[in-house]
Amino acid sequence: MDANHFTKVIDSVVGELGDEAKAPIAFRHAFEEKSLPSVPELNRFIDLTKAVIFPGFFGIQDTRREALKYHLGHNLEGIYSILEEEGLRGLCFECGHGVQCQKCDERAREIALKFVERLPEIRRILATDVQAAFDGDPAAKSAAEIIFCYPSLIALSHHRIAHELFKLGLPIIPRVISEMAHSVTGIDIHPGASIGEGFFIDHGTGVVIGETCVIGKNVRLYQGVTLGAKSFPKDESGKPIKGIARHPIIEDDVIIYAGATILGRITIGRASVIGGNTWVTENQEPGSKVSQKL
């Protein structure tokens, strides 16, 4: 290859890619003082959090009982430290004032401490998810098997963590955490979705749960279920209106079978059964049974 030609091509492409005016949205954070949240650090944050919620399953797996509290304390310090730093980056991502923003710095510390305080409750709820999976899946041999390898619990562990951070008002990071689980399991749960205890997703691949979805207790989903929005109301300029409730409410003890699609801000009443490959866009009374017409 001619060296001069190669140099000209590189110079030309550098000029195109380096021209902020040609794609301003791509340069949103390129020159800001504070870097974006670190995905590797957030992965480490998740690993440490799972290690304190399920000690022995994650993290150091041969922990002795007499050393457990030491490892818990050590991991909690790591969780706080990472979340304080990455939380600051997440807050700066939204406010645009960079690392010098004292308000964001104080808020990051507050969020990190509050999250640590909520870990016992996150573990309690995840324990109910484990029990739901064991009760709902005849193939499950033990609770340990579910904790260690079920995609449902991977997705729910990430979601329970991300949802707490979402409620604490932390930008971007909850979504990063949810997408980590999505990429591994094929289960897509927005961190804003509110999910009651005792939740189980059997198999799981292709499940989608939208941001404003509200799910009650003891609900079971199968693969390919979509809890989505029916439409997107727009403002006078034609842009989608953000922040409105647009996803379903699923009451307690509902079962939704594979491939069902439930759209819009409708309510599926308590103890209803939604059959596979159905399309539901209207409210269902408690105890309803919905199936395809034969």
Side-chain angles (χ1 to χ4, degrees):
M1 178 184 294
D2 182 80
N4 290 332
H5 176 65
F6 176 80
T7 301
K8 287 179 180 179
V9 170
I10 296 299
D11 288 345
S12 175
V13 174
V14 167
E16 289 286 318
L17 293 177
D19 188 349
E20 185 175 355
K22 292 188 176 180
I25 196 169
F27 288 80
R28 167 77 168 81
H29 289 276
F31 311 114
E32 293 185 3
E33 186 174 359
K34 192 65 176 176
S35 59
L36 295 172
S38 165
V39 173
E41 280 298 284
L42 290 176
N43 269 308
R44 193 162 76 90
F45 164 75
I46 290 295
D47 289 343
L48 289 173
T49 303
K50 289 169 70 175
V52 302
I53 293 174
F54 299 114
F57 290 95
F58 305 100
I60 299 175
Q61 294 178 317
D62 58 353
T63 302
R64 297 183 178 182
R65 289 184 182 276
E66 57 267 27
L68 176 60
K69 290 186 177 180
Y70 165 79
H71 287 295
L72 288 173
H74 179 72
N75 288 339
L76 286 172
E77 288 182 3
I79 289 167
Y80 175 85
S81 177
I82 294 171
L83 190 53
E84 180 186 18
E85 173 61 24
E86 299 307 316
L88 175 59
R89 295 183 181 201
L91 290 164
C92 290
F93 176 91
E94 186 170 83
C95 88
H97 292 153
V99 72
Q100 300 301 323
C101 181
Q102 184 176 357
K103 183 179 179 181
C104 287
D105 188 45
E106 293 173 354
R107 180 68 179 138
R109 295 177 187 177
E110 179 185 359
I111 288 173
L113 187 59
K114 285 186 176 180
F115 175 80
V116 169
E117 290 175 335
R118 294 185 185 185
L119 281 169
E121 177 62 10
I122 294 174
R123 182 181 67 173
R124 185 195 70 79
I125 296 175
L126 280 169
T128 71
D129 299 329
V130 174
Q131 188 64 52
F134 184 73
D135 294 341
D137 184 4
K141 301 298 188 292
S142 66
E145 179 185 14
I146 292 162
I147 294 170
F148 199 55
C149 59
Y150 268 43
S152 175
L153 199 75
I154 294 172
L156 285 173
S157 296
H158 280 69
H159 176 72
R160 302 294 188 191
I161 293 166
H163 185 63
E164 286 299 324
L165 296 173
F166 182 89
K167 291 193 296 183
L168 288 168
L170 185 60
I172 198 66
I173 287 174
R175 191 59 185 266
V176 174
I177 291 171
S178 70
E179 292 302 330
M180 289 175 183
H182 182 197
S183 66
V184 172
T185 65
I187 298 170
D188 183 359
I189 310 176
H190 192 283
S194 177
I195 300 177
E197 59 190 55
F199 185 59
F200 177 41
I201 305 173
D202 203 350
H203 303 294
T205 305
V207 166
V208 176
I209 301 175
E211 176 188 17
T212 61
C213 200
V214 178
I215 299 175
K217 297 179 180 179
N218 306 316
V219 171
R220 189 193 314 170
L221 271 57
Y222 287 81
Q223 69 272 18
V225 168
T226 296
L227 304 179
K230 184 178 180 181
S231 61
F232 302 92
K234 297 180 180 179
D235 59 22
E236 59 277 5
S237 63
K239 295 182 178 180
I241 299 173
K242 308 263 184 192
I244 61 172
R246 60 194 185 280
H247 299 100
I249 297 171
I250 311 298
E251 294 186 344
D252 298 349
D253 304 311
V254 169
I255 299 175
I256 306 175
Y257 284 98
T261 298
I262 303 174
L263 301 180
R265 193 59 166 186
I266 62 174
T267 298
I268 306 300
R270 185 180 184 278
S272 291
V273 177
I274 308 299
N277 297 315
T278 51
W279 181 274
V280 183
T281 57
E282 297 179 351
N283 292 328
Q284 302 298 317
E285 295 295 325
S288 296
K289 296 185 184 301
V290 178
S291 62
Q292 292 189 39
K293 293 181 179 180
L294 298 177

